Amino acid sequence: MARSDSIYQEDTIPTPLRHIWLNFISYPVAMLGLWVFIGFLIITLIAPFIAPYPPGLQHPDALLFPPSWHEDGQVSYFLGTDDLGRDILSNLLHGVRTTFGSSLIVTIFAAFIGIFLGILSGMSRGLKSSILNHILDATLAIPSLLLAIVLVAISGQTMINVMIAVGIALVPQFVRATHTAVHHELSREYVVAAKLDGANKFQIFYNVILPNVLNALIVQFTLAISIAIIDIATLGFLRIGAPASTSEWGTMLADGVDLIFIAPWNVTFPGMAIFASVLAVNFIGYGLQRAVKEGLG
Amino acid sequence: MWFYIARRVNLFVFTVAVLFLLVFVMLNALPGELATNLSGIQNPTMAQYDAIVNQYQLDKSWFNQYISFIKQRIHGDFGVSFSDAKPIYDEMLRLLPATIELCIYAMTIALLLGLPLGIIAAVYYKKFGDFFLLGTSLIGYSIPVFWLGVIAIMYFGLDLQWLPVAGKLNLLYQVEQVTGFTLIDIYLSDIQYKQLAYQDAIAHLIMPTLTLAVIPAAVVIRITRTTMLEELNANYIKAAQARGQHPLSVIFHHALPNAIQPVLSQITLQLSTLLTSAMVTEVIFSWPGIGQWLIQATYQQNYTIISAGVLVCAGFVIVVTVISDILLIATTPRRRSAEYGSV
């Protein structure tokens, strides 16, 4: 570029985001989380092609088969079957779609809305900002699961409604995180400098503040994914989430609870799936947080 | 300082007003007639209907309706339950202590475990102890509460048969409900086998409390570790070390008092998460608290209970946040700066 005559020619300074990335990949735990996450993402896309059976297909002659490594198990039902003869492995693979995939979609939508509102409230001052804040405080005080339950109660129990409810419950957290980050940056001196240069509000936001709050938003995003997975699964577990026929991890676990004494694998595997996905996301979030802190500090 | 307290109280009033507005909008949006949703009386007679309209000013503008809705709720009239026509207020007074009891014990355990472990992690920063504790806390934070509860029931309740799996107290012990807190009630009652009743109550408490405590404990470990690290890197710690102070004295007399304030203020932010997991825990362990009652109400589409539950849970969170805020302001002059006062 224009710096070709500089003596630091060969030394390219990484951008802040690239800096974070370079820091991030140096943590094995965070990378493990990322790989598991990518694995789940791939399964989300190709679940119908790799699952041995379609979701909810019942095998009347294969009820409550234990996992295949058990002496009564069969390889064709790798993780065993439930009381209706549904293959647990196929249900889990399809569940990646309903639980993990939909929580991703939900988080993306919630992030767009929440960050937009957060920017609006963060950039404004005085009465407008304080009114928005009171509304936020009130919504944040309602436990997110309770909010989701109420919304599902209002709109009826379908997967789309569950996703919308969990998304709406996530929005305040995004607004809060964005608001705090933006508000914090607004009082910095370089923002004042940009203002003195005659930058308008949009320029200040886009060119000055956004690059500095982006990392906080990314961390919040990973946090929100883990909350969304847990919320969707919890709603499913309480049987107010995904409708009974869907292969959703929480719903599967709830079905398994009745059989816990004779077929514990009905509880163990869905739980492990939820646990693994949430843990992977939290590992990524932890790695990012650390990368942000050490990269800039 | 009074200025900040007044400001907090002002904030509190507004937040509660917004909360009431949200619930009021929700009651309007729920299917069914508004009069029924507000009062809980199914198929009211003409006279009852007129009374409801009068009570909630349903013939006036929505603002009047909203104000009278707030008035009714503040006076303790939460309507009656859809299913059994019992007054909700009495029911809540009966169930709320059980939930608060569970939350308090879980929070105490979380603090007793989390604070020391967080300090250890900070002291052994980037050594094995730190990685181990941080990993444990990440794992604890990621375990879904309901799965943990079910596994605990499966192992300790059914396989080993060590602990009872459901309820608050064995029905053999006829303990009269005075405060709603089991342990206090047993103390106040005059039953014959107090010792045994205590044992039974604690046996019932162990699994739900520990299940509920896992996530807050993980959070406390992480927050304590972060704030302790910040304090341990401060210059006054180096000065204390240079003076030849004992390492333990540096940690407990110099760093900890400064580190504990942000920990406590961050923990109040976790309250709404705690209530959420408490609701799930109650369902799993059949704990007769407000969470289980609420979930049952959603199955029955019992809208008066749902709205009352939202009001009470969120109100509880707001009240505790404001109280802890005021306490923090009163004890820490640093927090009285303009940055903390204005939100």
Side-chain angles (χ1 to χ4, degrees):
Chain A
M1 296 228 301
R3 300 170 352 132
S4 55
D5 52 345
S6 147
I7 52 165
Y8 297 112
Q9 195 176 8
E10 64 277 20
D11 200 29
T12 52
I13 302 168
T15 61
L17 275 184
R18 188 169 163 70
H19 207 110
I20 291 171
W21 170 244
L22 288 177
N23 259 316
F24 179 81
I25 56 174
S26 65
Y27 303 130
V29 173
M31 280 315 275
L32 176 73
L34 189 63
W35 281 116
V36 174
F37 185 83
I38 292 173
F40 274 119
L41 210 59
I42 293 171
I43 296 177
T44 311
L45 295 177
I46 59 168
F49 305 107
I50 54 169
Y53 306 102
L57 179 70
Q58 301 177 2
H59 306 272
D61 48 347
L63 304 182
L64 288 175
F65 271 25
S68 54
W69 51 88
H70 192 276
E71 52 190 55
D72 298 333
Q74 272 185 23
V75 176
S76 46
Y77 309 107
F78 188 70
L79 295 179
T81 56
D82 66 2
D83 56 337
L84 294 176
R86 289 175 295 195
D87 181 42
I88 291 182
L89 177 67
S90 327
N91 265 358
L92 279 182
L93 288 176
H94 288 286
V96 176
R97 246 182 190 193
T98 30
T99 310
F100 180 81
S102 55
S103 61
L104 263 185
I105 298 172
V106 159
T107 318
I108 291 171
F109 274 103
F112 267 114
I113 301 170
I115 290 174
F116 179 71
L117 289 177
I119 290 164
L120 280 190
S121 84
M123 296 291 288
S124 60
R125 276 158 188 267
L127 192 64
K128 236 193 312 179
S129 164
S130 115
I131 288 174
L132 258 168
N133 256 307
H134 289 316
I135 296 175
L136 256 186
D137 273 350
T139 37
L140 270 177
I142 304 177
S144 71
L145 188 72
L146 197 53
L147 196 59
I149 288 175
V150 169
L151 290 169
V152 173
I154 293 176
S155 53
Q157 194 175 352
T158 62
M159 196 59 212
I160 293 290
N161 284 342
V162 169
M163 286 167 70
I164 293 173
V166 171
I168 290 179
L170 279 180
V171 167
Q173 299 173 22
F174 270 110
V175 182
R176 173 53 101 206
T178 319
H179 174 94
T180 324
V182 171
H183 219 76
H184 193 69
E185 292 299 322
L186 259 188
S187 53
R188 294 290 180 87
E189 269 147 16
Y190 64 83
V191 177
V192 179
K195 240 180 236 170
L196 290 178
D197 282 347
N200 65 27
K201 263 199 160 174
F202 179 76
Q203 284 166 332
I204 287 181
F205 168 70
Y206 192 76
N207 297 324
V208 183
I209 292 180
L210 188 63
N212 291 298
V213 298
L214 206 54
N215 37 43
L217 297 185
I218 294 173
V219 171
Q220 175 63 30
F221 185 76
T222 56
L223 193 68
I225 296 177
S226 74
I227 295 174
I229 297 176
I230 292 262
D231 272 4
I232 290 182
T234 310
L235 281 176
F237 177 77
L238 296 173
R239 295 178 193 280
I240 21 191
S245 56
T246 358
S247 47
E248 195 271 325
W249 291 340
T251 319
M252 286 172 70
L253 214 158
D255 290 339
V257 169
D258 307 334
L259 309 164
I260 191 166
F261 218 35
I262 46 172
W265 55 90
N266 273 309
V267 172
T268 325
F269 293 123
M272 273 181 176
I274 303 171
F275 176 54
S277 56
V278 176
L279 191 63
V281 175
N282 279 339
F283 274 159
I284 298 176
Y286 162 71
L288 277 176
Q289 249 169 350
R290 216 170 120 164
V292 167
K293 218 182 249 167
E294 292 190 0
L296 304 176
Chain B
M1 179 181 144
W2 289 109
F3 173 69
Y4 293 103
I5 290 184
R7 203 159 183 171
R8 278 286 146 204
V9 172
N10 185 21
L11 198 95
F12 168 71
V13 172
F14 269 104
T15 320
V16 170
V18 172
L19 175 67
F20 270 105
L21 186 65
L22 284 177
V23 174
F24 184 67
V25 170
M26 180 195 104
L27 279 171
N28 274 293
L30 282 168
E33 208 172 340
L34 184 60
T36 313
N37 287 349
L38 281 169
S39 66
I41 300 171
Q42 298 270 34
N43 306 320
T45 59
M46 267 328 255
Q48 276 175 325
Y49 186 80
D50 288 342
I52 296 168
V53 167
N54 194 24
Q55 204 180 3
Y56 291 96
Q57 304 200 330
L58 292 183
D59 46 353
K60 307 258 177 57
S61 73
W62 70 267
F63 189 74
N64 286 22
Q65 294 176 17
Y66 167 60
I67 295 294
S68 54
F69 168 70
I70 295 181
K71 268 189 199 150
Q72 295 295 330
R73 292 303 187 248
I74 285 178
H75 286 291
D77 178 10
F78 284 83
V80 296
S81 159
F82 271 22
S83 52
D84 52 9
K86 276 189 201 157
I88 287 175
Y89 182 69
D90 301 342
E91 200 76 344
M92 269 193 315
L93 279 190
R94 199 170 60 80
L95 296 171
L96 199 56
T99 304
I100 295 178
E101 188 182 26
L102 204 59
C103 288
I104 288 178
Y105 296 152
M107 212 61 223
T108 316
I109 291 177
L111 283 175
L112 287 180
L113 262 176
L115 282 176
L117 291 181
I119 294 169
I120 291 173
V123 172
Y124 291 98
Y125 180 54
K126 287 204 168 173
K127 294 199 184 97
F128 175 73
D130 180 28
F131 289 128
F132 177 73
L133 286 172
L134 204 61
T136 319
S137 96
L138 268 176
I139 290 173
Y141 186 67
S142 308
I143 295 181
V145 184
F146 48 91
W147 190 51
L148 191 66
V150 168
I151 296 273
I153 287 183
M154 187 163 90
Y155 195 68
F156 295 108
L158 298 178
D159 266 11
L160 298 173
Q161 307 223 328
W162 282 356
L163 296 166
V165 294
K168 229 163 82 156
L169 194 63
N170 197 320
L171 289 174
L172 284 173
Y173 305 102
Q174 295 273 336
V175 176
E176 202 183 334
Q177 178 156 8
V178 187
T179 54
F181 293 83
T182 331
L183 296 183
I184 300 176
D185 276 353
I186 295 175
Y187 178 76
L188 291 176
S189 69
D190 47 358
I191 55 167
Q192 223 172 346
Y193 307 103
K194 257 187 196 179
Q195 201 67 36
L196 287 174
Y198 269 127
Q199 278 174 15
D200 190 61
I202 289 174
H204 275 94
L205 267 170
I206 290 175
M207 272 208 289
T209 323
L210 288 184
T211 310
L212 189 54
V214 168
I215 290 179
V219 174
V220 172
I221 290 181
R222 285 185 71 182
I223 300 174
T224 314
R225 178 180 169 275
T226 320
T227 51
M228 265 310 263
L229 271 181
E230 267 168 32
E231 295 301 330
L232 283 177
N233 286 327
N235 280 332
Y236 68 89
I237 295 294
K238 282 181 196 129
Q241 281 167 341
R243 284 202 305 277
Q245 296 262 354
H246 193 272
L248 284 180
S249 153
V250 173
I251 294 168
F252 287 105
H253 291 146
H254 294 76
L256 190 59
N258 286 317
I260 209 150
Q261 295 281 1
V263 174
L264 292 182
S265 74
Q266 292 243 16
I267 284 171
T268 48
L269 292 180
Q270 293 295 322
L271 194 66
S272 101
T273 326
L274 182 71
L275 268 183
T276 309
S277 14
M279 283 167 58
V280 181
T281 316
E282 282 172 13
V283 172
I284 297 169
F285 292 99
S286 314
W287 188 263
I290 208 151
Q292 203 206 8
W293 181 57
L294 254 172
I295 304 283
Q296 292 298 332
T298 25
Y299 297 148
Q300 302 164 348
Q301 311 212 315
N302 207 329
Y303 297 138
T304 35
I305 291 186
I306 298 178
S307 70
V310 174
L311 271 183
V312 167
C313 288
F316 181 69
V317 174
I318 295 175
V319 167
V320 173
T321 316
V322 168
I323 290 176
S324 71
D325 251 12
I326 290 178
L327 282 180
L328 274 175
I329 290 168
T331 50
T332 343
R334 191 169 52 171
R335 295 185 73 87
R336 286 178 213 156
S337 64
E339 200 186 326
Y340 287 106
S342 69
V343 170

